Amino acid sequence: MSDDWRQLDRRAVPVAAVFMLGVAVLAGVPSAAGLSEISVAVALGWVLPGMVVVVLAGTVAEWLRLRFTRYRVGPERVELHTGVLIRNRRSLRRERIRTVDVTANPLLRLFGLVSVRIGTGEHAERGTLRLGPVTRATGDELRHALLSRAVRPAADGSLATLDPAWVRYAPLSFVAPLLGAAAVGGVLNVADWFGRAEGLVTWVIDRLGGLGLIGGIAVTAAVALALGVIGALGLWVEMWWGYRLDREPGGTLRVRRGLLTTRSISIEEERVRGVELVEPLGTRLAGAARVDVVATGLKTGTEEHKAQHSTLLPPAPVALARRVAADVLGEPVAPASSAASSPTPTTATPTTASSPTSASTSSTASTAEFASSDKSEISVWEGGLSMGVATVLSAHPVAARGRRLRWALTGVVAGELPLIVLGLLLTGVLLHLAWITALVAVPVAVALALDAYRSLGHALDGDYLVARSGSVRRGTVFLQCRGIIGWTVRQSLFQQRAGLATIRATTAAGSGAYAIRDVAVSAGLDVAGAAVPGLLSPFLERDDFPPEQGDLRSPALSVPDEHALAEQRDLRSPAVSAPTLPSPELSASDQHVPVEQGDAPEQRDLTSRSDLRERDDNE
């Protein structure tokens, strides 16, 4: 590709003129409707000149932008010069470029143009260059030139293409009721523009008055939900029509999709650190899941549509989702196995399954098994999936279930309390509404809490850390251990009492951190230590004494004193967060802990606070 300075396409000016005309019409129609109550002549006299000014101003501004904008793709940098009064010169080093996205809305497609976004994965403005509009051929040329690099060998070709049957999963998300509510609000807003909002409400009440209050509300909700379903189907078609996921020569994954606004998103495979299977509650009940990529270079702060850039596969049958995830990671898919559905409890240990993306867990182990286990090897049921041999996820202690039940019931109480208070102060109708809604909310909350507990699980499968959590949105992440740059161990006061902790794997990819939630302390530390040996162990002291009878609390954590930390500054990683200090009320056995020796060079023995106090007393 030539490194000469280039201009944007000249058709940017007519594109801007058409766009501003649409803006002027959308703004002028409501204004003219409001002014028409005075007179039509007054409305046209004010609105038409304003529309002309808006169109001319937008067109002239776009012409000036086009006149003073230049870009160049050199051997080492991509440079962009913009600005009329204040010149802005920006450049990106080519080796730091992670994504090149080519987008065309309906207006750009009408003129045969596209917009190109070149990103490095840093902040949205500082790490991004936007070139647009340019011709489609120029956009494809930029994408190939900036992302063509040598990577690991992998078979090129299509990984997934659109199946129109996937549209059945669109209404199962929470988008449908939200779109329904938005549609009702939009109708009322438009009616208010023309002064017909009150008449519309009266007309609806007259038509539904014979059904009673509850019947009228039910019919209104059904109509809104139907509108939401139609809107969800239309939105899905617009976003995913023409979908195709390809692995291209040069080591890039390319996602193409869109009906009206076409999108082409390219991701370097060298930057992929894992995948995440996302299963919202509705699609999970229908046996579907979507696939998001965990990659560096996609995290762009508050940039719009960030989540869409990471989606490799829309909601599709879960077997296909696992196959696509395995293909993206370059992992083989195991053949079907009939021995994976045995009801015999097994001990969860790192497995050697052919594909880490086929993961299952069962948290139906008995309470006695959890209560009697103080180690990371928790008994679980091994479950087979249609994809073949499954990675066995270690279930979490029953204390995690209690936490979720308490959260769920607390949420119900928080929602019912205002109704009770207002019912006592104003009218007894609200009290009846409170107990009726509670009859529905309590079972639903308990069911979601139990499902959230059953979804908890973690495992270390070869080179991948696997962690799963969530109920309304269940996510299973398969994170490459080489992508983990630190660990964060967090314990609330209630987690400390229950012997639980939330351990987050810090990474430069995806959301930045992925959590193993409410795991037994010893089990979580074992997994963290095995995933990245030597990274966490220099900063922890662990108790080798078993907990007392009936005590579910896992071994306590403590932090070395300042002198010991000063001696080990060469071992400290900035990404590692120190765990919570033990409570002063803990017994001596909870605080007197020898250091677990790691592989770090020149590691020295750490001394707990209780040892320092004993030494001071003896002296």
Side-chain angles (χ1 to χ4, degrees):
M1 189 171 187
S2 174
D3 58 353
D4 297 332
W5 286 98
R6 297 185 175 190
Q7 279 188 313
L8 302 179
D9 195 275
R10 295 177 180 273
R11 286 171 288 181
V13 176
V15 168
V18 175
F19 176 78
M20 295 307 298
L21 178 61
V23 172
V25 171
L26 290 177
V29 169
S31 301
L35 293 174
S36 62
E37 296 181 357
I38 302 175
S39 69
V40 176
V42 172
L44 295 178
W46 280 98
V47 172
L48 289 180
M51 294 175 61
V52 172
V53 170
V54 168
V55 173
L56 289 178
T59 304
V60 172
E62 182 66 12
W63 181 82
L64 291 174
R65 185 185 75 89
L66 181 67
R67 174 70 177 78
F68 290 94
T69 299
R70 299 285 188 277
Y71 73 93
R72 179 173 65 179
V73 180
E76 296 184 356
R77 292 181 174 273
V78 179
E79 301 175 74
L80 176 65
H81 293 181
T82 59
V84 179
L85 299 178
I86 300 177
R87 297 291 291 170
N88 185 11
R89 294 176 173 84
R90 302 176 58 199
S91 67
L92 298 178
R93 295 186 63 87
R94 292 185 60 169
E95 67 267 18
R96 295 186 60 84
I97 294 174
R98 303 292 179 258
T99 59
V100 178
D101 301 337
V102 181
T103 306
N105 58 40
L107 185 57
L108 290 178
R109 293 177 63 185
L110 181 64
F111 286 86
L113 302 175
V114 297
S115 176
V116 179
R117 174 191 170 276
I118 304 171
T120 63
E122 298 178 1
H123 296 290
E125 293 299 328
R126 186 178 60 187
T128 302
L129 293 182
R130 298 182 183 274
L131 305 178
V134 296
T135 63
R136 182 172 295 276
T138 301
D140 291 338
E141 184 183 8
L142 287 170
R143 186 177 58 82
H144 285 292
L146 297 177
L147 292 181
S148 180
R149 300 168 189 170
V151 295
R152 64 181 182 181
D156 301 328
S158 176
L159 301 182
T161 56
L162 176 69
D163 184 350
W166 297 349
V167 73
R168 67 182 184 269
Y169 302 122
L172 301 180
S173 67
F174 290 98
V175 174
L178 293 178
L179 289 177
V184 173
V187 170
L188 292 175
N189 193 25
V190 172
D192 185 62
W193 288 352
F194 297 94
R196 300 290 187 269
E198 185 176 353
L200 177 62
V201 173
T202 303
W203 180 84
V204 171
I205 293 175
D206 292 340
R207 295 297 182 275
L208 302 179
L211 301 177
L213 178 61
I214 297 179
I217 294 176
V219 171
T220 303
V223 172
L225 184 60
L227 293 175
V229 168
I230 296 173
L233 292 173
L235 181 63
W236 190 94
V237 171
E238 199 285 324
M239 290 180 58
W240 295 106
W241 192 258
Y243 162 81
R244 185 180 181 91
L245 172 62
D246 296 316
R247 175 178 278 120
E248 296 187 334
T252 59
L253 296 171
R254 184 184 183 188
V255 179
R256 285 175 286 182
R257 57 186 176 87
L259 178 63
L260 300 178
T261 299
T262 59
R263 303 169 181 86
S264 175
I265 302 171
S266 301
I267 304 170
E268 280 188 306
E269 288 193 85
E270 280 189 339
R271 305 300 168 182
V272 175
R273 296 295 179 263
V275 295
E276 184 178 10
L277 290 178
V278 181
E279 302 170 279
L281 182 59
T283 55
R284 174 155 57 98
L285 295 176
R290 81 168 191 262
V291 179
D292 289 355
V293 67
V294 179
T296 60
L298 292 180
K299 187 179 180 182
T300 55
T302 58
E303 185 182 359
E304 187 179 7
H305 305 312
K306 178 183 67 174
Q308 296 179 12
H309 281 77
S310 65
T311 300
L312 296 181
L313 181 73
V318 67
L320 175 62
R322 293 196 181 95
R323 196 264 299 167
V324 170
D327 288 343
V328 170
L329 296 178
E331 298 288 341
V333 179
S337 173
S338 61
S341 58
S342 171
T344 304
T346 61
T347 299
T349 55
T351 64
T352 57
S354 299
S355 174
T357 56
S358 294
S360 69
T361 185
S362 175
S363 302
T364 59
S366 65
T367 303
E369 288 176 319
F370 285 108
S372 62
S373 176
D374 62 336
K375 299 180 181 180
S376 62
E377 297 180 349
I378 300 176
S379 297
V380 298
W381 304 102
E382 184 178 12
L385 301 175
S386 59
M387 288 297 293
V389 180
T391 298
V392 180
L393 301 183
S394 296
H396 291 195
V398 290
R401 182 179 63 189
R403 282 172 54 80
R404 275 146 187 79
L405 287 172
R406 287 190 292 271
W407 291 344
L409 295 178
T410 300
V412 173
V413 171
E416 299 295 338
L417 189 59
L419 292 177
I420 296 175
V421 173
L422 293 176
L424 294 174
L425 296 177
L426 300 178
T427 175
V429 175
L430 295 179
L431 293 177
H432 291 290
L433 181 61
W435 71 262
I436 292 174
T437 55
L439 287 178
V440 178
V442 170
V444 171
V446 170
L448 291 177
L450 295 177
D451 179 67
Y453 170 67
R454 286 192 295 267
S455 297
L456 290 176
H458 68 277
L460 187 62
D461 188 352
D463 296 331
Y464 293 89
L465 172 68
V466 185
R468 189 171 74 182
S469 63
S471 176
V472 177
R473 180 197 181 275
R474 188 171 78 175
T476 307
V477 64
F478 304 87
L479 181 63
Q480 293 178 353
C481 294
R482 68 185 181 92
I484 299 175
I485 60 176
W487 295 96
T488 302
V489 181
R490 292 186 178 181
Q491 283 184 299
S492 67
L493 178 62
F494 299 104
Q495 283 180 313
Q496 289 181 6
R497 298 185 62 180
L500 304 175
T502 296
I503 300 181
R504 297 180 181 271
T506 305
T507 178
S511 62
Y514 295 92
I516 305 175
R517 301 183 183 279
D518 285 339
V519 64
V521 176
S522 59
L525 295 181
D526 287 342
V527 171
V532 188
L535 181 59
L536 184 62
S537 56
F539 309 101
L540 299 177
E541 295 182 4
R542 300 179 58 188
D543 193 354
D544 292 334
F545 297 101
E548 298 179 0
Q549 185 68 24
D551 187 5
L552 296 181
R553 183 167 48 194
S554 297
L557 299 179
S558 64
V559 180
D561 62 284
E562 297 179 358
H563 299 288
L565 287 176
E567 294 176 354
Q568 292 205 6
R569 285 176 181 172
D570 57 326
L571 302 178
R572 178 175 290 276
S573 170
V576 179
S577 300
T580 308
L581 286 171
S583 173
E585 290 77 15
L586 295 179
S587 61
S589 63
D590 285 331
Q591 296 188 11
H592 180 69
V593 286
V595 164
E596 179 183 348
Q597 297 295 332
D599 298 331
E602 299 181 7
Q603 182 172 345
R604 305 183 182 182
D605 292 338
L606 303 181
T607 308
S608 65
R609 295 180 181 272
S610 59
D611 292 336
L612 293 177
R613 287 196 296 268
E614 290 182 3
R615 187 180 303 170
D616 293 338
D617 294 339
N618 293 333
E619 291 177 356

